[in-house]
Amino acid sequence: MIRKTIRILVFLISVVMLALSLNLIWEFPLAAQAIPDLNWSKDDIRPESYIPVFNIGNLEISPVFLDGTMIGTIESFIQLGTNKEDGQANNYSSAVRSHIIHSKLQKILDNMNRYSREVLPQRGISGLEEQARELKKQLITDVSEQKGAAVVLIAFPKNEVPEIIYTVTQATVARPRFGGSQSLKIAERAAKVAYNSLIQAWKERQPPHLRSQAKKALHLFLALTVTSLTVAWIQKLLVSKKRKLSNSLHKNNTIQTKNNSISDSSPVVTKSGGIAQPLQDILLERNLFLRQRYSLNAFYRTILFWLQWLIWMVGIGYLSSLFYLTRPLSNWIIGVTIRGAWSTATINHWPPVDWVLTFGQKANLGTPLFVLVLLMVTRLMLKGGDALSDFLTRYWMSQKRSPHRQTLRSPTIVPIIKSSLRVLVFLLLGLAIFHRLHQSGAITQALAVVLGFTSFALSLASQNLLKDLLSGLFILWEDQYAVGDVILVGDQGGLVEKITLRITQLRNLDGELITIPNGSIEMVRNLSSDWSRVNYAIEIGYDADVDRALEVIEAVAQQLYGDSQWQEKILEAPEILGIDNISHTGVLIRLIIKTKPLEQWSVAREFRRRLKKALDEQGIKVGIPQQLMYFSDNFAKSKIYRENN
């Protein structure tokens, strides 16, 4: 039931994440290749949703793309000022500036491509190397200072009017970088990067490069297919192993059920209402071993299942990065990183690795990969938690000195550990989802206020729940009782059927199920912890031979202790405490018998049966309340007078 519920929850979460993904990618990232109208006004410019923004200190930083390749970054202050001395660029966000630069560079690249197809062949220049040399001559970059700010200008072809591509702002200077932070130096490096990136982007659009990339993509696709088939073959082996383990578990559970139903005449295993006997200990240990192997098998299968998805997800992302048309799709799948990037140079890094190393501050994961990683980590933590719980339980049981007690505690603690791990996993999953929603801007201020009030209301309503959880934790930690124990809580008592961190459920002799919140348990009496005791007292007649009665009781107790059918239940020789009380009802004799947990009642019943027969044979009577009546002289005289008259 628990596993089915978890599967349903994971399915619902995956549906929610899919809906979120579709919402986040409504504007498909290939729109980055379009060249918009360049007649902008500040109010008309809207950054495309595909441009990520990273906040570092008081700066917001966005990458700049050309044909989907990141060629640098652009910076802006988070608190936008009104000072326009350095130009209007100061008033734009980093995402808007990145979009403007990208659009201008994309327009120049498109002009270069059209120039090489239409103009250069008419001039007899058709070779790829010759066209590249000619384009380098026609592409002009320049650095100048306008209105106190260094700017990068690019013209193509060279007889065209140069256009401002990039402006070095105060935010750009404020960002630490190697190679100096002087405005002109930054502009010169940016011009060099733009020049080389445009030439390289033009080469990547040519047929020879595309054919080379197509061959590389074919080889990579074949490698992905072989790897995927290998993983599928290993999965098949693990599924076969799973069936064998499942059959072994079923057989072991069947043997346990049969042994639990063996009559009391069995010299090895006795009917004990859930308390493990020697053979049951062996069966339980084997059951734990098989469950541990089964959990590990499930963990390995989960790894391979999600590894298949991860292989194809990353593979498709890498295949998309080989071609300029699909490279924005690769950014959407894999993600973007600014780690090691400057406004004038970019060091190649892999976004998923940088996302982990920088805790998401300088890199982000693509929406598909983020959803996949979220679901994969959730499932791996659940399966890994199950395997770890089974392993720790088996190790813990092997280290304890009281195997019977640990036999009781293991079915109590294991489900609680697993359920607690699941709560922790889903809590972390919720935090990750809310963090992603916050990054994407889906959580508005109004929604944040509503969530805050909701959290406050839940905190007030959960005070009793927290008390129950803490009490349940201490009950388990201190081993106050476990499933299979018989306990008394106040005026309620019975066999413990279920324990969670919040409640304890008892079953009394009438078959009633009693549910008690752990927070309301102040004092508990455990009648079966480690060992139990028969505390038996019998009253014999006042006139009986006390010494003879003690001998008979001693003989019956020793006979029971020496009986092979009962010696497994009795831990120590019975002890006659002697005469405990003398009253008008008789002489009270008490003895105690130390037994295994929950066996005190069956041992006491058998002892009473044997003692009754022995006392009858010896003619010893049990105590009978006695009462003497005395009559005064006046009462006697009045009686005689009435009789005479």
Side-chain angles (χ1 to χ4, degrees), residues 22-34 48-50 325-326 328-330 332-333 368:
L22 293 176
N23 180 61
L24 293 178
I25 61 168
W26 188 257
E27 295 185 12
F28 198 70
L30 287 178
Q33 301 303 319
E48 299 292 339
S49 59
Y50 69 90
L325 280 175
T326 57
L329 178 63
S330 175
W332 175 66
I333 294 176

CSV table of all heavy atoms in Angstrom, one decimal, residues 22-34 48-50 325-326 328-330 332-333 368:
chain,number,residue,atom,x,y,z
A,22,LEU,N,6.3,22.8,-19.7
A,22,LEU,CA,5.6,23.3,-20.9
A,22,LEU,C,5.3,24.8,-20.8
A,22,LEU,O,5.4,25.6,-21.7
A,22,LEU,CB,4.3,22.6,-21.1
A,22,LEU,CG,4.5,21.1,-21.5
A,22,LEU,CD1,3.1,20.4,-21.6
A,22,LEU,CD2,5.2,21.0,-22.9
A,23,ASN,N,5.1,25.2,-19.5
A,23,ASN,CA,4.8,26.6,-19.3
A,23,ASN,C,6.1,27.5,-19.4
A,23,ASN,O,6.0,28.6,-20.0
A,23,ASN,CB,4.2,26.8,-17.9
A,23,ASN,CG,4.0,28.3,-17.5
A,23,ASN,OD1,3.2,28.9,-18.2
A,23,ASN,ND2,4.6,28.8,-16.5
A,24,LEU,N,7.2,26.9,-19.0
A,24,LEU,CA,8.5,27.7,-19.0
A,24,LEU,C,9.0,27.8,-20.4
A,24,LEU,O,9.7,28.7,-20.8
A,24,LEU,CB,9.5,27.0,-18.1
A,24,LEU,CG,9.2,27.1,-16.6
A,24,LEU,CD1,10.3,26.3,-15.8
A,24,LEU,CD2,9.2,28.5,-16.1
A,25,ILE,N,8.7,26.8,-21.3
A,25,ILE,CA,9.2,26.8,-22.6
A,25,ILE,C,8.2,27.1,-23.7
A,25,ILE,O,8.3,26.7,-24.8
A,25,ILE,CB,9.8,25.4,-23.0
A,25,ILE,CG1,8.7,24.3,-22.9
A,25,ILE,CG2,10.9,25.0,-22.0
A,25,ILE,CD1,9.1,23.0,-23.5
A,26,TRP,N,7.2,27.9,-23.3
A,26,TRP,CA,6.1,28.2,-24.2
A,26,TRP,C,6.7,28.9,-25.4
A,26,TRP,O,6.3,28.7,-26.6
A,26,TRP,CB,5.1,29.1,-23.5
A,26,TRP,CG,3.9,29.3,-24.3
A,26,TRP,CD1,3.5,30.5,-25.0
A,26,TRP,CD2,2.8,28.4,-24.5
A,26,TRP,NE1,2.3,30.3,-25.6
A,26,TRP,CE2,1.9,29.1,-25.4
A,26,TRP,CE3,2.6,27.1,-24.1
A,26,TRP,CZ2,0.7,28.4,-25.8
A,26,TRP,CZ3,1.4,26.5,-24.5
A,26,TRP,CH2,0.5,27.1,-25.4
A,27,GLU,N,7.7,29.8,-25.2
A,27,GLU,CA,8.4,30.5,-26.3
A,27,GLU,C,9.6,29.6,-26.6
A,27,GLU,O,10.6,29.6,-25.8
A,27,GLU,CB,8.8,31.9,-25.9
A,27,GLU,CG,7.5,32.8,-25.7
A,27,GLU,CD,7.9,34.2,-25.5
A,27,GLU,OE1,9.1,34.5,-25.7
A,27,GLU,OE2,7.1,35.0,-25.1
A,28,PHE,N,9.6,28.8,-27.6
A,28,PHE,CA,10.6,27.9,-27.9
A,28,PHE,C,12.0,28.6,-28.1
A,28,PHE,O,12.0,29.6,-28.8
A,28,PHE,CB,10.3,27.1,-29.1
A,28,PHE,CG,11.0,25.8,-29.3
A,28,PHE,CD1,10.8,24.7,-28.4
A,28,PHE,CD2,12.0,25.7,-30.2
A,28,PHE,CE1,11.5,23.6,-28.5
A,28,PHE,CE2,12.7,24.5,-30.3
A,28,PHE,CZ,12.5,23.5,-29.5
A,29,PRO,N,13.1,28.1,-27.6
A,29,PRO,CA,14.3,28.8,-27.7
A,29,PRO,C,14.9,29.0,-29.1
A,29,PRO,O,15.8,29.8,-29.3
A,29,PRO,CB,15.3,27.9,-26.9
A,29,PRO,CG,14.6,26.6,-26.9
A,29,PRO,CD,13.2,26.8,-26.9
A,30,LEU,N,14.4,28.3,-30.1
A,30,LEU,CA,14.9,28.5,-31.4
A,30,LEU,C,14.5,29.9,-31.9
A,30,LEU,O,15.0,30.4,-32.9
A,30,LEU,CB,14.3,27.4,-32.4
A,30,LEU,CG,14.9,26.0,-32.3
A,30,LEU,CD1,14.2,25.1,-33.2
A,30,LEU,CD2,16.4,26.1,-32.5
A,31,ALA,N,13.6,30.5,-31.2
A,31,ALA,CA,13.2,31.9,-31.6
A,31,ALA,C,14.4,32.8,-31.5
A,31,ALA,O,14.4,33.9,-32.0
A,31,ALA,CB,12.1,32.4,-30.7
A,32,ALA,N,15.5,32.4,-30.8
A,32,ALA,CA,16.7,33.2,-30.6
A,32,ALA,C,17.4,33.4,-32.0
A,32,ALA,O,18.2,34.4,-32.1
A,32,ALA,CB,17.7,32.5,-29.7
A,33,GLN,N,17.1,32.6,-33.0
A,33,GLN,CA,17.7,32.7,-34.3
A,33,GLN,C,17.0,33.8,-35.1
A,33,GLN,O,17.6,34.2,-36.1
A,33,GLN,CB,17.7,31.4,-35.0
A,33,GLN,CG,18.4,30.3,-34.2
A,33,GLN,CD,19.8,30.6,-33.9
A,33,GLN,OE1,20.5,31.2,-34.7
A,33,GLN,NE2,20.3,30.3,-32.7
A,34,ALA,N,15.9,34.2,-34.7
A,34,ALA,CA,15.2,35.3,-35.5
A,34,ALA,C,15.8,36.6,-35.4
A,34,ALA,O,16.4,36.9,-34.3
A,34,ALA,CB,13.7,35.3,-35.1
A,48,GLU,N,14.0,37.8,-24.3
A,48,GLU,CA,13.4,36.5,-24.5
A,48,GLU,C,13.6,35.6,-23.3
A,48,GLU,O,14.5,35.8,-22.5
A,48,GLU,CB,14.1,35.9,-25.7
A,48,GLU,CG,13.9,36.7,-27.0
A,48,GLU,CD,12.5,36.7,-27.5
A,48,GLU,OE1,11.7,35.8,-27.1
A,48,GLU,OE2,12.1,37.6,-28.3
A,49,SER,N,12.6,34.7,-23.1
A,49,SER,CA,12.6,33.9,-21.9
A,49,SER,C,13.8,32.9,-21.9
A,49,SER,O,14.1,32.3,-20.9
A,49,SER,CB,11.3,33.1,-21.9
A,49,SER,OG,11.2,32.3,-23.0
A,50,TYR,N,14.5,32.7,-23.1
A,50,TYR,CA,15.6,31.8,-23.2
A,50,TYR,C,16.9,32.3,-22.6
A,50,TYR,O,17.8,31.6,-22.4
A,50,TYR,CB,15.8,31.3,-24.6
A,50,TYR,CG,16.4,32.4,-25.5
A,50,TYR,CD1,17.8,32.6,-25.6
A,50,TYR,CD2,15.5,33.3,-26.2
A,50,TYR,CE1,18.3,33.6,-26.4
A,50,TYR,CE2,16.1,34.3,-27.0
A,50,TYR,CZ,17.4,34.5,-27.1
A,50,TYR,OH,17.9,35.5,-27.8
A,325,LEU,N,21.8,25.2,-36.3
A,325,LEU,CA,20.3,25.3,-36.2
A,325,LEU,C,19.7,24.7,-34.9
A,325,LEU,O,18.7,25.3,-34.4
A,325,LEU,CB,19.7,24.6,-37.4
A,325,LEU,CG,19.7,25.4,-38.8
A,325,LEU,CD1,19.2,24.5,-39.9
A,325,LEU,CD2,18.9,26.7,-38.6
A,326,THR,N,20.3,23.7,-34.4
A,326,THR,CA,19.8,23.0,-33.3
A,326,THR,C,20.5,23.3,-32.0
A,326,THR,O,20.2,22.8,-30.9
A,326,THR,CB,19.8,21.5,-33.5
A,326,THR,OG1,21.2,21.1,-33.8
A,326,THR,CG2,18.9,21.1,-34.6
A,328,PRO,N,20.6,26.1,-30.1
A,328,PRO,CA,19.7,26.6,-29.0
A,328,PRO,C,18.9,25.5,-28.3
A,328,PRO,O,18.6,25.6,-27.1
A,328,PRO,CB,18.8,27.6,-29.8
A,328,PRO,CG,19.6,28.0,-31.0
A,328,PRO,CD,20.4,26.8,-31.4
A,329,LEU,N,18.5,24.5,-29.1
A,329,LEU,CA,17.8,23.3,-28.4
A,329,LEU,C,18.8,22.6,-27.4
A,329,LEU,O,18.3,22.2,-26.4
A,329,LEU,CB,17.4,22.3,-29.5
A,329,LEU,CG,16.7,21.1,-29.0
A,329,LEU,CD1,15.4,21.4,-28.3
A,329,LEU,CD2,16.4,20.1,-30.2
A,330,SER,N,20.1,22.6,-27.7
A,330,SER,CA,21.0,22.0,-26.8
A,330,SER,C,21.1,22.8,-25.5
A,330,SER,O,21.2,22.3,-24.4
A,330,SER,CB,22.4,21.9,-27.4
A,330,SER,OG,23.4,21.4,-26.5
A,332,TRP,N,18.7,24.6,-24.3
A,332,TRP,CA,17.5,24.4,-23.6
A,332,TRP,C,17.5,23.1,-22.8
A,332,TRP,O,17.0,23.0,-21.7
A,332,TRP,CB,16.3,24.5,-24.6
A,332,TRP,CG,15.0,24.1,-23.9
A,332,TRP,CD1,14.3,24.8,-23.0
A,332,TRP,CD2,14.2,23.0,-24.2
A,332,TRP,NE1,13.1,24.2,-22.7
A,332,TRP,CE2,13.0,23.1,-23.4
A,332,TRP,CE3,14.3,21.9,-25.1
A,332,TRP,CZ2,12.0,22.1,-23.5
A,332,TRP,CZ3,13.3,21.0,-25.2
A,332,TRP,CH2,12.2,21.1,-24.4
A,333,ILE,N,18.1,22.0,-23.4
A,333,ILE,CA,18.1,20.7,-22.8
A,333,ILE,C,19.2,20.6,-21.7
A,333,ILE,O,18.9,20.2,-20.6
A,333,ILE,CB,18.4,19.6,-23.9
A,333,ILE,CG1,17.2,19.6,-24.8
A,333,ILE,CG2,18.6,18.3,-23.2
A,333,ILE,CD1,17.4,18.6,-26.0
A,368,PRO,N,14.3,20.3,-19.4
A,368,PRO,CA,14.2,18.8,-19.5
A,368,PRO,C,15.2,18.1,-18.6
A,368,PRO,O,14.8,17.1,-18.0
A,368,PRO,CB,14.5,18.5,-21.0
A,368,PRO,CG,14.2,19.8,-21.7
A,368,PRO,CD,14.6,20.9,-20.8
